[in-house]
Amino acid sequence: GAGVSQSPSNKVTEKGKDVELRCDPISGHTALYWYRQSLGQGLEFLIYFQGNSAPDKSGLPSDRFSAERTGGSVSTLTIQRTQQEDSAVYLCASGPAGTGAIGEQYFGPGTRLTVT
Amino acid sequence: GNSVTQMEGPVTLSEEAFLTINCTYTATGYPSLFWYVQYPGEGLQLLLKATKADDKGSNKGFEATYRKETTSFHLEKGSVQVSDSAVYFCALIVSYNQGGKLIFGQGTELSVKP
């Protein structure tokens, strides 16, 4: 079946511009996660959605970052007034419900963001 | 806080060599432990997991045993292949109720030469 898809695959933007990154999770997965991967910081958790519960935003690095998940499916990560330190690969993952599936997260290919 | 520490890479081995990638963790709760792998040009994928002490996770010839006494989850494979060349990430989740967010180590790059 179809895996997690992300768009765009690459995004180059000027400092100060806003960007939107999209994630289409695996159909039926109730959990959706955003991480970012950068040389200096490794893999960092950003935000987590689980069903209709309030999202866990504890990993968002600043108030310039926000995310939403519409209809329990597609998610958009928005970065406002981008800075050069935002340059990274942004990864989306989805996962099935249930404690038997704990930690089973299916990752998309990522969006490589470059802020110039 | 919760954290994962892996041995630094890159690790370069010859085909059929024995592999060990060390991973230790610090956790305030009782974590579940994972190894994820990122093959060149591909997304992260779950390799194996263990959810309680002394459990052994295994997949594709790789194994890791959850050692609570040494807070470790070392990855091993008896005979590596060129196709095992990838970046390997050790990770933990402290509690599913805390959101299921994975805390990753910094990754270890493995290069296997024919």
Side-chain angles (χ1 to χ4, degrees):
Chain A
V4 176
S5 61
Q6 294 185 244
S7 60
S9 55
N10 280 284
K11 177 71 176 179
V12 180
T13 190
E14 292 179 353
K15 177 181 173 181
K17 300 286 189 183
D18 297 352
V19 296
E20 285 189 351
L21 312 179
R22 177 187 169 106
C23 172
D24 285 83
I26 293 173
S27 178
H29 281 185
T30 58
L32 187 145
Y33 309 82
W34 285 97
Y35 296 85
R36 72 177 175 183
Q37 187 173 21
S38 58
L39 281 177
Q41 301 297 323
L43 267 161
E44 302 173 275
F45 164 79
L46 296 176
I47 188 169
Y48 160 62
F49 297 89
Q50 174 62 59
N52 295 322
S53 301
D56 176 355
K57 305 179 182 179
S58 61
L60 295 178
S62 79
D63 59 7
R64 296 186 295 104
F65 288 72
S66 63
E68 63 177 19
R69 188 178 186 191
T70 54
S73 182
V74 172
S75 178
T76 302
L77 177 69
T78 301
I79 309 173
Q80 295 178 311
R81 305 181 304 281
T82 52
Q83 303 295 313
Q84 288 185 329
E85 61 262 29
D86 300 335
S87 296
V89 177
Y90 288 81
L91 298 174
C92 177
S94 68
T99 54
I102 184 169
E104 290 183 21
Q105 298 181 16
Y106 297 79
F107 284 79
T111 294
R112 181 175 297 278
L113 175 66
T114 304
V115 182
T116 61
Chain B
N2 304 311
S3 65
V4 176
T5 302
Q6 296 178 228
M7 63 186 287
E8 287 192 22
V11 174
T12 302
L13 296 174
S14 297
E15 206 164 23
E16 299 184 1
F18 184 85
L19 169 71
T20 299
I21 299 178
N22 290 337
C23 171
T24 57
Y25 67 88
T26 301
T28 54
Y30 192 47
S32 294
L33 303 173
F34 308 85
W35 278 99
Y36 273 78
V37 59
Q38 189 170 31
Y39 297 102
E42 297 185 17
L44 272 168
Q45 52 188 275
L46 178 64
L47 180 61
L48 53 84
K49 71 177 186 181
T51 58
K52 60 183 187 294
D54 300 326
D55 266 2
K56 177 184 286 188
S58 61
N59 186 25
K60 299 183 180 181
F62 290 89
E63 293 182 339
T65 301
Y66 189 140
R67 300 289 188 198
K68 187 178 179 184
E69 63 275 14
T70 54
T71 61
S72 65
F73 193 54
H74 305 321
L75 183 68
E76 297 182 335
K77 186 174 185 182
S79 176
V80 293
Q81 305 300 312
V82 172
S83 57
D84 294 325
S85 298
V87 182
Y88 292 81
F89 294 89
C90 187
L92 66 82
I93 288 176
V94 172
S95 167
Y96 186 77
N97 289 333
Q98 291 183 8
K101 59 189 178 188
L102 286 162
I103 297 170
F104 288 93
Q106 66 269 41
T108 302
E109 182 180 0
L110 170 66
S111 178
V112 181
K113 306 298 184 185

